[in-house]
Amino acid sequence: MLESMMLKGGIIMNIWNVFTVVRGAIIAITLVVLMGHNPTSAQETRKITPNYLRCEYRVNPLGIDVALPRLSWVVESNERSQKQTAYRILVAGSPEKLNQNTGDLWDTGKVKSDETIHIAYGGKPLKSRMFAYWKVQVWDGQDMPSAWSETALWSTGLLKAEDWMAEWIGYDVPLSNRQKLDLQLQAANVHYKRFKCVYLPSPYLRTDFHLDKAVRRAVVYVTALGLYELHLNGRRVGNDYFTPGWSDYRKRVYYQTYDVTDLLRPGGENVVGAILSDGWYAGNISNQGQRHYGDKLRLRLQMHIEYEDGSEQVVASDGNWRASDGAIREGDIQDGETYDSRREMVGWSGQNFDDNGWKPVVTDDNIKIMVQAYPGIPVHGTMEIKPIALTEPKPSVFVYNLGQNFSGWARLRVRGKAGDKVVLRFAEMLNPDGTIYTTNLRGARATDTYILKGGGEEVWEPRFTFHGFQYVEVTGYPGKPDMETITGIVAHSDLPVVGSFECSNPLVNKLYSNIVWGQRSNYFEVPTDCPQRDERLGWTGDAQVFVRTASYNMDIGAFFTKWLVDLEDGQFEDGSFPSVAPTVHGGTAAGWGDAGVVCPWTIHRVYGDTRILEKHYDAMVRWVDFLDQRSKGHFSPPLGSWGDWLHIDAPTPLELIATAYFARSASLMADMARAVGRDGEAEKYEKMFNDISSAFTNRFVTSDGKVYGDTQTAYLMALGFNLLPDKMRPRAAERLVDRLRERDWRLSTGFLGLNLLLPTLTKVGRIDLAYRLLTNREFPSWGYTIDQGATTIWERWNSFTKENGFNDPGMNSFNHYAFGSVGEWMFSTLAGIDTDGAGFKRIIIRPQPGGDITWVRAGYNSIRGNIAVEWKFEGDDLILNTTIPANTTATVYIPAKNEGDVTESKGPAGQSPGVRLLRMESGAAVFEIGSGSYSFVSKGAKSILMQKH
């Protein structure tokens, strides 16, 4: 019931704007607290509160199939250095029992522990279709209990295959002779399959059922081969799009769970229906053509209705359902949707609809695919964008500029007569004559068509397609459109936003905006490379170089929980991971296949998640074994051909990249093995890393520190992956600087080198060059793309230039997040927020000011709570305000000549409550602080930093 209440209405909210306002208010309040905090006030009340309860990373998830779901919460307090010393979790089968403080499913009792994340359920065994209501109480450092938290819930899905009683059903739309021939040719000829599309109308399926008694709860479990949109009594169920999501349909398909209690009508006829579409299952994927997994769209639905008297009724998909085609004549993710409103069947999913003309559905007993609960984050329409300009470059050709490149679709408003056809085409850029530029879309048609029924204003949005675009071309419009004709609907996997960043440099602020928009556009069910052309694949190399940046911007825990299954599903028999996941074509490559190790390690580091390591441990072992078996004396021959993708005339030898990433994976395996208690294996991988590092040095590095290939990326991998003996590092760092100098202080790195560039320069003591590269406006640089009009991260630094126009259209995306991996450095170094160990239990606050940036304000809502940092210069002094979540500690580095030059809340820092001086280190006073809000001032810090840089 809670889920249905949350999903009712279908109104698309501009959540990003709401978040921005809320985040701004939080930051403002935090800073007021920072500047006015009096840690010794006798008026303060000691208080600790558990909030933000989650199960498997999600708030109130329905239909999970995890046998021992993990529970997490955030501890909040209004005083410094507050700790949780114990907790008690109650889990009950009903809210009434929970309200009585009865945990009939699980009562932990008082557990002495400061842990707040990933606490595995340990109560009575969970059965299918159970609802579990839970709350938590915690004790503070003085053993004083908190109030109980608010109630949260989760429910289980259909945990066993035999729990499914529903049949797979569908409707095979009658084909013309030409369509039959084309489908035969598609099946027999890959080339024909790629270039000759056969679009079929979407099937509409329905059945009716009666309810004779008062309903206590109704829950529906639903999946499809293809995409589905679910309806109940004339209303759309939920606000998810592109369900059941993209998986490797050869191995598994996901189902969703919805509480539909409020949509039922007791005491009479009820109708459930669904619309199907090709989606990833049968539609175009990349340039591979249609029907990659199958050609028969099927639905499986099971609704369990519990009556107030304790009896139950099951409504399931079976041969009694009826079917028809309707208004959706074509629905393809890449090519677009065609909707003929003259064929609308008004009320088709409601009562009193005459379906006598509909056909019986077909049932399919041959589908043996594994059906599992969806573990990820669904796609939502998250905000609306209004056009900023309307032009008419040619007669009756109208072009809308929405001012921002994004993924989603357009809402159309139109009046006209029946049969009028309005065609919408989508593009990221314009030609010089003002028409839309679509050459870079390659084979993606990216066209939606709406045919009017007439009789008043008509408002339409597609259901089963999305585009990457900033511009919408409208043709065939009856009359002259206006600024209300088109509205952009932004759509993506609706991950919780956890990061905010702002600084004194407008260029860097725009870069941050572009990074976030690139992630928003491409975290679309899987981490795709681009949302616009005929590709949209989960490229593994892109995913692994960006994953740490992604985690600062959004909560990616559930998203990657799902995608790492896709990645393992694609693992080849020899142990290699694919270059794209879900896998649609073969092959692996160094830096791409390594995503199978880098991404789980990153999720563990950010969220303290060891279960994800255990789940994928064997797959990671197979990958490293694959690398080891093909190596020769711990030296790796070339692996794949991607190399340092899209470098600037500086190819790094493939064998160097392969060996460096072999070492990187071995190093991370050692860390993960130790994290899950496999110390013996950790020693094995540590030795492997050391052996590879020695082989790397012997094969690729001269005695004076010159690295084979002599490229920026070669030095960045040698230094950034810690492959060099200490004595060689200074000379290699000098050579890295030389490679920058010879290019007039410009980068030459590609995808694999770029995410190492600024962190490595910082690590070797050249943060001045890191700032120079960050704020550079000359080609190639982030500033250069911004000056060319970029509103997202581009695939190429010169995808478009005002002087020379467009780059090679064969590989020229204007929404490609990989070069946005610099966001990690912006948070960890510029703002100075990082984790010390796994899961932000211990936090590092170490902003490193530089360049012309005079202030930074950033926030990160970690798995343990919100971390806030603001630093700024006032004259020669540095002011650092920070907030640390309850139940954590932080190590704070503040530039200073000596500890006496640092104050906190206007008193000596070392004497301030919650603050402890640890040491002086490399021109910084290092303090340990407990949770709470602090305001540090370091006298003369600006001069110290200027001398240092």
Side-chain angles (χ1 to χ4, degrees):
M1 187 177 300
L2 178 62
E3 181 75 357
S4 66
M5 291 172 65
M6 293 167 61
L7 297 178
K8 271 199 315 186
I11 301 173
I12 296 177
M13 300 294 294
N14 188 335
I15 62 167
W16 179 253
N17 289 339
V18 171
F19 168 79
T20 301
V21 172
V22 173
R23 171 68 70 179
I26 291 172
I27 290 172
I29 292 169
T30 298
L31 294 177
V32 169
V33 172
L34 286 169
M35 301 306 294
H37 179 76
N38 179 1
T40 62
S41 172
Q43 300 300 318
E44 291 186 359
T45 302
R46 187 175 300 277
K47 186 178 181 181
I48 188 169
T49 306
N51 283 315
Y52 192 38
L53 277 60
R54 287 148 294 155
C55 175
E56 291 299 320
Y57 289 107
R58 294 171 289 167
V59 175
N60 299 329
L62 296 184
I64 67 173
D65 61 4
V66 180
L68 300 176
R70 296 166 299 167
L71 309 178
S72 302
W73 60 89
V74 168
V75 172
E76 297 177 349
S77 176
N78 63 352
E79 67 172 26
R80 289 186 176 184
S81 300
Q82 186 56 265
K83 295 281 189 179
Q84 170 189 298
T85 57
Y87 67 79
R88 182 186 179 192
I89 300 171
L90 292 181
V91 184
S94 71
E96 292 79 15
K97 289 181 179 179
L98 193 68
N99 289 338
Q100 296 170 3
N101 293 337
T102 300
D104 61 320
L105 296 180
W106 191 32
D107 183 345
T108 65
K110 184 179 179 181
V111 178
K112 291 184 177 181
S113 172
D114 65 352
E115 191 55 86
T116 62
I117 64 172
H118 305 312
I119 296 172
Y121 173 77
K124 294 179 180 179
L126 299 175
K127 300 178 181 179
S128 292
R129 303 190 294 108
M130 284 181 62
F131 272 69
Y133 301 86
W134 69 286
K135 62 183 179 180
V136 63
Q137 182 182 42
V138 299
W139 281 259
D140 68 10
Q142 285 68 46
D143 202 33
M144 296 294 293
S146 71
W148 285 102
S149 70
E150 297 292 329
T151 298
L153 67 84
W154 82 84
S155 75
T156 55
L158 302 178
L159 302 181
K160 301 177 182 178
E162 53 267 31
D163 291 333
W164 282 96
M165 296 174 280
E167 297 180 85
W168 289 99
I169 65 171
Y171 177 56
D172 300 330
V173 178
L175 306 176
S176 67
N177 290 332
R178 180 62 198 181
Q179 287 174 323
K180 293 178 182 177
L181 176 60
D182 284 337
L183 288 175
Q184 291 172 358
L185 292 171
Q186 272 192 358
N189 188 307
V190 173
H191 180 82
Y192 195 87
K193 179 179 180 179
R194 290 183 180 180
F195 297 104
K196 178 63 176 178
C197 292
V198 180
Y199 304 106
L200 302 177
S202 284
Y204 289 64
L205 314 174
R206 76 188 301 269
T207 193
D208 55 25
F209 58 98
H210 283 76
L211 300 177
D212 299 324
K213 294 176 286 188
V215 174
R216 176 175 175 267
R217 175 187 290 141
V219 179
V220 64
Y221 309 90
V222 57
T223 185
L225 299 181
L227 302 178
Y228 72 84
E229 181 180 283
L230 184 62
H231 290 248
L232 183 58
N233 290 330
R235 297 172 63 182
R236 188 174 185 269
V237 175
N239 61 351
D240 302 340
Y241 288 90
F242 301 96
T243 48
W246 187 6
S247 58
D248 188 335
Y249 292 97
R250 294 163 295 198
K251 297 189 176 181
R252 75 188 73 238
V253 65
Y254 292 115
Y255 69 88
Q256 280 74 34
T257 301
Y258 299 101
D259 188 323
V260 294
T261 309
D262 291 349
L263 297 180
L264 291 180
R265 296 181 179 178
E269 180 187 11
N270 286 256
V271 177
V272 60
I275 311 172
L276 304 182
S277 186
D278 290 351
W280 294 280
Y281 179 75
N284 279 292
I285 296 180
S286 183
N287 60 358
Q288 303 296 300
Q290 297 173 300
R291 298 166 181 87
H292 182 78
Y293 299 103
D295 59 354
K296 302 295 186 183
L297 304 184
R298 295 294 182 257
L299 175 78
R300 198 181 199 187
L301 178 148
Q302 193 163 305
M303 184 190 308
H304 289 260
I305 303 167
E306 302 173 25
Y307 291 109
E308 292 287 2
D309 64 5
S311 62
E312 294 189 0
Q313 178 181 350
V314 177
V315 177
S317 51
D318 59 22
N320 294 317
W321 287 49
R322 299 182 66 78
S324 177
D325 60 88
I328 302 175
R329 309 311 295 167
E330 300 177 2
D332 187 86
I333 284 178
Q334 290 184 176
D335 283 0
E337 189 167 311
T338 297
Y339 189 91
D340 187 345
S341 64
R342 298 171 300 180
R343 302 177 66 108
E344 284 181 344
M345 299 172 289
V346 178
W348 69 273
S349 63
Q351 295 84 357
N352 303 315
F353 178 79
D354 183 3
D355 65 1
N356 287 329
W358 287 38
K359 307 295 184 183
V361 297
V362 296
T363 59
D364 200 327
D365 298 328
N366 298 318
I367 299 172
K368 306 302 180 184
I369 190 171
M370 183 187 304
V371 182
Q372 293 183 316
Y374 183 71
I377 302 295
V379 173
H380 289 161
T382 62
M383 67 184 81
E384 299 181 359
I385 297 182
K386 295 294 186 180
I388 62 172
L390 169 59
T391 59
E392 190 177 1
K394 293 182 178 180
S396 299
V397 175
F398 302 95
V399 175
Y400 288 83
N401 179 1
L402 291 143
Q404 173 64 56
N405 198 348
F406 64 96
S407 62
W409 54 85
R411 178 191 300 142
L412 171 69
R413 292 183 180 274
V414 61
R415 291 177 181 270
K417 63 181 185 300
D420 286 344
K421 181 187 295 185
V422 180
V423 178
L424 310 180
R425 294 201 302 151
F426 300 84
E428 297 180 290
M429 299 289 283
L430 297 180
N431 291 307
D433 64 357
T435 59
I436 60 171
Y437 173 77
T438 60
T439 310
N440 72 317
L441 302 184
R442 303 189 309 205
R445 187 180 64 180
T447 301
D448 295 340
T449 301
Y450 181 74
I451 302 172
L452 279 69
K453 56 180 173 288
E457 183 180 66
E458 302 177 40
V459 180
W460 174 75
E461 296 177 27
R463 290 175 164 91
F464 298 116
T465 191
F466 72 95
H467 312 288
F469 66 102
Q470 179 174 332
Y471 299 92
V472 183
E473 177 196 84
V474 179
T475 56
Y477 192 88
K480 193 174 182 67
D482 59 25
M483 295 292 279
E484 300 299 318
T485 298
I486 292 293
T487 301
I489 307 299
V490 179
H492 53 91
S493 294
D494 196 4
L495 281 63
V497 176
V498 296
S500 63
F501 180 92
E502 186 180 9
C503 72
S504 61
N505 188 314
L507 181 74
V508 178
N509 292 336
K510 180 59 177 173
L511 170 59
Y512 177 66
S513 173
N514 288 4
I515 292 170
V516 173
W517 274 104
Q519 180 177 351
R520 186 181 291 122
S521 302
N522 284 292
Y523 273 32
F524 200 111
E525 181 57 27
V526 305
T528 63
D529 57 329
C530 58
Q532 77 295 98
R533 67 187 181 212
D534 61 345
E535 191 160 6
R536 310 183 189 192
L537 297 175
W539 282 98
T540 51
D542 306 41
Q544 69 92 1
V545 298
F546 188 76
V547 62
R548 189 64 180 90
T549 292
S551 71
Y552 275 118
N553 297 331
M554 303 175 189
D555 184 342
I556 63 172
F559 184 79
F560 268 84
T561 296
K562 184 266 180 190
W563 185 70
L564 286 172
V565 174
D566 298 332
L567 182 55
E568 185 171 337
D569 279 350
Q571 190 170 26
F572 301 115
E573 290 185 3
D574 62 5
S576 62
F577 283 114
S579 291
V580 296
T583 306
V584 297
H585 53 65
T588 189
W592 270 255
D594 296 278
V597 172
V598 174
C599 293
W601 177 82
T602 302
I603 299 303
H604 167 249
R605 184 161 180 81
V606 173
Y607 302 108
D609 189 339
T610 55
R611 185 177 286 182
I612 204 164
L613 304 185
E614 294 163 345
K615 180 177 179 64
H616 299 288
Y617 192 86
D618 290 344
M620 293 188 286
V621 168
R622 290 195 298 273
W623 166 252
V624 177
D625 285 349
F626 162 77
L627 297 177
D628 191 34
Q629 290 166 10
R630 68 185 302 278
S631 69
K632 301 175 181 178
H634 299 291
F635 157 77
S636 181
L639 178 58
S641 59
W642 306 122
D644 189 25
W645 184 248
L646 295 184
H647 60 81
I648 306 296
D649 301 322
T652 301
L654 296 179
E655 58 268 37
L656 182 143
I657 293 174
T659 305
Y661 263 98
F662 180 20
R664 176 65 169 161
S665 282
S667 174
L668 298 185
M669 281 299 299
D671 188 45
M672 290 186 285
R674 208 169 295 283
V676 296
R678 304 190 186 202
D679 292 346
E681 293 180 47
E683 293 176 2
K684 166 191 169 182
Y685 289 116
E686 286 169 353
K687 182 180 184 302
M688 181 182 289
F689 170 76
N690 291 331
D691 290 342
I692 301 168
S693 298
S694 296
F696 182 94
T697 301
N698 293 335
R699 182 72 177 246
F700 296 127
V701 188
T702 63
S703 59
D704 62 350
K706 182 178 179 180
V707 179
Y708 177 52
D710 205 28
T711 65
Q712 293 175 19
T713 293
Y715 291 103
L716 291 168
M717 288 186 174
L719 292 164
F721 291 167
N722 297 316
L723 302 179
L724 302 179
D726 289 344
K727 64 181 181 180
M728 286 186 174
R729 291 182 64 84
R731 185 62 186 127
E734 291 175 8
R735 287 187 175 276
L736 170 60
V737 174
D738 289 342
R739 299 292 77 76
L740 287 164
R741 181 184 295 108
E742 70 186 14
R743 288 179 176 262
D744 196 21
W745 310 111
R746 302 178 194 178
L747 58 84
S748 65
T749 52
F751 280 18
L752 298 184
L754 187 71
N755 75 315
L756 297 170
L757 182 58
L758 301 196
T760 303
L761 286 171
T762 302
K763 191 175 182 179
V764 301
R766 293 308 305 266
I767 195 171
D768 58 320
L769 294 181
Y771 273 99
R772 183 169 185 168
L773 291 168
L774 178 71
T775 56
N776 184 24
R777 305 187 88 112
E778 297 177 348
F779 173 82
S781 68
W782 297 281
Y784 184 80
T785 65
I786 290 169
D787 287 343
Q788 308 310 307
T791 63
T792 50
I793 300 298
W794 289 355
E795 182 176 22
R796 299 174 182 270
W797 301 110
N798 57 349
S799 284
F800 171 84
T801 67
K802 295 175 181 176
E803 298 80 10
N804 301 315
F806 297 102
N807 207 317
D808 176 13
M811 195 72 67
N812 198 27
S813 161
F814 292 91
N815 200 342
H816 224 89
Y817 62 69
F819 281 151
S821 60
V822 67
E824 174 185 355
W825 184 88
M826 292 166 65
F827 273 95
S828 66
T829 304
L830 185 47
I833 301 172
D834 206 348
T835 183
D836 184 1
F840 283 89
K841 179 68 172 176
R842 290 191 56 83
I843 298 162
I844 295 174
I845 302 297
R846 192 177 189 175
Q848 300 185 55
D852 65 351
I853 295 177
T854 58
W855 61 265
V856 169
R857 185 183 298 117
Y860 172 62
N861 194 8
S862 76
I863 192 168
R864 298 185 191 270
N866 190 56
I867 304 165
V869 167
E870 181 192 37
W871 65 259
K872 61 183 177 180
F873 290 118
E874 283 191 0
D876 202 33
D877 298 343
L878 175 69
I879 298 176
L880 172 63
N881 298 322
T882 186
T883 296
I884 306 301
N887 208 42
T888 68
T889 58
T891 304
V892 183
Y893 294 76
I894 301 175
K897 291 180 181 179
N898 56 68
E899 64 268 25
D901 288 336
V902 183
T903 62
E904 195 286 310
S905 295
K906 301 182 180 181
Q911 300 175 24
S912 186
V915 180
R916 182 168 69 95
L917 176 67
L918 297 178
R919 61 188 178 274
M920 292 296 299
E921 178 184 305
S922 302
V926 185
F927 299 93
E928 181 182 78
I929 62 175
S931 62
S933 297
Y934 299 82
S935 183
F936 293 93
V937 177
S938 179
K939 296 179 181 179
K942 187 174 184 180
S943 296
I944 296 172
L945 290 167
M946 291 178 64
Q947 293 171 6
K948 189 175 180 180
H949 294 168

